[in-house]
Amino acid sequence: MQQQEQQFKTVKVKSNFHQFQLQPDRQIYRYKIELTNYSDINAQKAINLYRQKLTESLITFYCINLNVYSPTKIATQVLGGLNEGEEIQNIVTLKFIENIVGGIKLQQILTRIVKQIVSTQQGMVQIGKDKLFWPKKCHQFHAHKFEIWEGVQIVQKQFGVVIDCAYKILRQNTLLDDLLITKEVDRYEGMIVMTKYNQKFYRVDLIETGMSPKDLFITENGQETSFKEYYKQRYNIKLSDKQPLIKTSLKLKGKQEEKVIYLIPELCQLTGLSETVKSNFQVMKDVSRITKPNAQDRIDKSEKFAKQMNSTIKRGSNMNLLDIWGLQLSSVSMNVEAKTVRPGTLLMGNENIDLSSSNLNLDQQTQKKMYQMPEKKLVWVLIHYYKEKGQEAKKILLENMKQAISEYQFYGFYSQPIIKQLQEERDKVLTQLCDDINKECEQKQQKIEFIIFLLPGQKKNSRLYRCAKFISMQKIGCPSQVVLEETLTKNTRSIVNKIMVQICAKLGGVPWAIDKLPLLFQQQHSMICAAECYDRLHQTKHLAFCSTVDKNMTRYHSQILKGGDYKGDHLKKSLIVAMQVYKDKNNLYPEIIVIYRDGISDGQIPVVLGDEYPQYEQAIKQTNPSSKLVLVICNKRVAGKFYQAGHRPDNPASGTIVDSKEICEGQQPNFYLISQITRQGTSQPTLYKILHSDIPNIENDIKVLTYKLCWLYYNFAGPIKIPAPVRYAHSLSEFIGSRYQRSDKDPFIPIEELVKKGVLFYI
């Protein structure tokens, strides 16, 4: 505990949390419906029957779980009978119960009020349950056919609200416009579209090419009509016959099943940026200026909208909604106490880096001897394109690699690679070339341990990328590095240095480690895990499970399970394998197992506790019952923001933790962590919750561990937003899942030989 306390420093931060306050001499009261013959069904009937009478007596009220809440106090009152005309009357009485001073009941009332405020804002479009946008406050990019709407996100928290900036990007062309150009119906699955006639948003499930606006459907009032006729009658819109329909699903309120509806492509605007725009550096810079406001601009917008909420008029009246309830929302955002974790030292091969240094430049400082490198000399292959540009790129790469190898003292390769030219930019030709190289090596009793593919093409769009990875991962069973010729034209030395870091990690080396991990996890054998499922519409699911195997938490065993997800026994099987691999490496099972699970909102917690936690429990019971389990969930999609308090607000320092009870709600211990260093826009905190722990009082250890792990992702020099195991699991699931094709004769899955090497072949 003493070591922990020394790692924390108390600081003050400003937030975007605004508190509700009850005005002096005002109260909120709870009433119950009483009946001569009481039942919940009769109580609900009574509320519906006497709603007008309740409004006359109470002015305003909410009915929540058969409780009636109102800011008006009245004496117990008989409302009337429920079964008029019958001999024995079921008398309905409204009985005063208590004043509401706080707790869950007040939170329920505030939830209703916030919902009412959100739905009442004039001139704003509501998207989802908590986002509002001003269509008139839009930034036009006519040349690139899109616009950005400004808005706010309002999330109710305990006795207040979080108010943050929100942005929606809409393309000015319709889905039909785009479809006529691309002719690719599959590319729209999963996209979000907005209907132009009523500004509602839907997710595309499928483009139904066998349907058209001439098809018939049943309207809500039971009439049969065509889509074409319906839109002519309802919106006076004339539709083109020559277009398919968009299939989408709506969740019905209070029901499990979904309702399928069909939309018209020419009436649906696409949202989000096109790939063409994303690849335009200048346009993306302009977009960032709008969508990444600085701390002061965010605070100003938050406080301005709090004032707007305070002045909201109740629909159908001239009364102020909050005044009726005797409430006021603070227009000044809350200051809270926070703490920072000292980052410590990054451990390199021969010179360590003080992460607290004011002139930290990790891109440069990590370009030196790495912490641990491959112990034996490995056979490596370099394949490049035969054209002049490929020849030049090969020469540049080898020259820079030679210097980097000397500087890093990286002696894991034989001095010269096996160099081969690729004559055609085709999968079949590359496959044959690699087969020939592999046979040559086998004849010499050599084993290919690494391949560098130097290929033509643009970033994320190289024609041969998938084929190259498939060959190395499935055919040869070794890690590989794809380098595009284009990337070597600028900042070549820096890029090659970063490539060397990746190569080290892919060969089982450790580019860097971090000191002062919590003593709890150093004094007992500890394994850190993360699971991530690739789950996309009409694609095969893949479950990735990454687990550390060493004391420094820098080496991993990475599993990928085809068809796996979070249900059944897939997680159980994965954890059993991870525990066994840990034992094989360390001669005993892990004493502590920490599992991170990303992307979990409050509503999904019961699913994690019901479906996932029991699998981990069974795996431990079956493998090593004495192992202690800690389950931590992460959520990056949070509206909460924090800023360094002061004359000019700025992003908090990396390692800032907010765990104030005013802000962190719920039964489980939870905290916000800002781990990354943000130089543009505003830092996005990640919210962590400890759902289960077999070890008491572990909160501070988990906070420090979580932050330290954010420094150990080897595709970036610096701390990332989430712990490295979580990012590795995401990278692995995305790497395999997005490239897996059911039609492949051999699956896009690493062979067992590569998995057993315990290398980060997928980063």
Side-chain angles (χ1 to χ4, degrees), residues 359-372:
N359 55 356
L360 196 64
N361 185 348
L362 288 175
D363 264 347
Q364 287 184 4
Q365 289 170 290
T366 52
Q367 294 178 14
K368 59 184 71 167
K369 186 177 180 182
M370 289 177 265
Y371 186 66
Q372 289 174 354

Side-chain angles (χ1 to χ4, degrees), residues 77-323:
Q77 179 180 332
V78 175
L79 299 176
L82 191 59
N83 40 1
E84 294 285 347
E86 293 187 16
E87 231 176 276
I88 301 172
Q89 284 287 311
N90 198 356
I91 304 299
V92 181
T93 305
L94 182 69
K95 184 181 179 182
F96 169 74
I97 303 296
E98 63 179 344
N99 294 2
I100 301 300
V101 291
I104 189 70
K105 293 185 180 72
L106 181 56
Q107 287 183 43
Q108 290 172 337
I109 296 163
L110 293 174
T111 299
R112 285 287 185 92
I113 290 172
V114 170
K115 191 176 178 182
Q116 198 172 345
I117 288 172
V118 167
S119 64
T120 310
Q121 298 306 309
Q122 296 294 314
M124 299 189 82
V125 173
Q126 184 174 348
I127 299 176
K129 62 180 181 180
D130 59 11
K131 288 182 181 174
L132 290 166
F133 294 89
W134 292 277
K136 290 181 180 178
K137 285 187 184 179
C138 78
H139 303 265
Q140 302 277 357
F141 289 76
H142 289 300
H144 302 280
K145 296 184 177 177
F146 73 92
E147 61 194 43
I148 302 175
W149 286 8
E150 282 191 37
V152 287
Q153 182 178 13
I154 309 103
V155 180
Q156 197 247 318
K157 290 279 185 184
Q158 295 192 115
F159 307 114
V161 288
V162 177
I163 304 174
D164 191 27
C165 298
Y167 300 91
K168 196 73 185 171
I169 296 173
L170 287 167
R171 299 192 211 173
Q172 290 166 345
N173 56 339
T174 66
L175 192 147
L176 181 61
D177 296 332
D178 209 63
L179 184 58
L180 291 171
I181 296 167
T182 65
K183 315 287 187 192
E184 298 174 28
V185 292
D186 292 344
R187 70 182 295 164
Y188 302 100
E189 291 174 10
M191 282 190 178
I192 305 296
V193 295
M194 184 190 80
T195 45
K196 294 164 73 173
Y197 46 89
N198 62 359
Q199 296 179 322
K200 290 188 183 297
F201 290 79
Y202 301 89
R203 182 181 295 275
V204 177
D205 288 345
L206 197 66
I207 304 294
E208 289 282 10
T209 53
M211 296 180 73
S212 78
K214 291 192 284 187
D215 279 73
L216 302 175
F217 76 104
I218 307 295
T219 64
E220 287 180 353
N221 57 15
Q223 292 182 326
E224 187 178 65
T225 185
S226 71
F227 290 97
K228 188 172 183 177
E229 187 60 29
Y230 174 81
Y231 281 95
K232 176 66 180 165
Q233 294 293 329
R234 181 83 183 265
Y235 298 104
N236 196 26
I237 296 172
K238 190 176 179 182
L239 298 178
S240 163
D241 293 341
K242 294 182 179 179
Q243 59 181 314
L245 298 186
I246 301 168
K247 180 183 176 184
T248 185
S249 305
L250 286 181
K251 284 188 178 177
L252 298 173
K253 194 174 180 181
K255 295 183 180 178
Q256 290 293 323
E257 69 268 21
E258 294 184 337
K259 179 185 178 183
V260 173
I261 63 168
Y262 293 92
L263 305 173
I264 312 298
E266 73 173 290
L267 302 181
C268 291
Q269 278 180 263
L270 290 164
T271 64
L273 296 170
S274 67
E275 291 304 318
T276 308
V277 170
K278 285 179 184 176
S279 62
N280 187 319
F281 176 77
Q282 189 53 52
V283 175
M284 290 305 292
K285 199 173 173 184
D286 294 339
V287 168
S288 290
R289 285 196 193 102
I290 297 163
T291 59
K292 294 181 178 178
N294 62 33
Q296 189 60 61
D297 289 344
R298 278 191 188 270
I299 290 168
D300 290 346
K301 184 170 276 191
S302 169
E303 294 185 345
K304 185 177 179 182
F305 194 76
K307 289 175 184 173
Q308 185 173 323
M309 288 179 70
N310 269 323
S311 58
T312 301
I313 301 299
K314 186 180 178 183
R315 189 176 283 145
S317 76
N318 59 357
M319 294 185 291
N320 182 293
L321 188 52
L322 287 175
D323 274 351

Side-chain angles (χ1 to χ4, degrees), residues 51 107 198 206 345 357 386 423 427 687 695:
R51 189 167 290 276
Q107 287 183 43
N198 62 359
L206 197 66
T345 302
S357 172
Y386 79 98
Q423 297 301 318
D427 288 4
L687 177 62
I695 305 167

Side-chain angles (χ1 to χ4, degrees), residues 378-396:
L378 306 171
V379 175
W380 59 304
V381 175
L382 172 61
I383 294 172
H384 68 93
Y385 203 39
Y386 79 98
K387 288 188 176 178
E388 188 179 337
K389 194 173 180 182
Q391 298 277 13
E392 184 61 28
K394 174 202 76 174
K395 184 181 172 186
I396 292 169

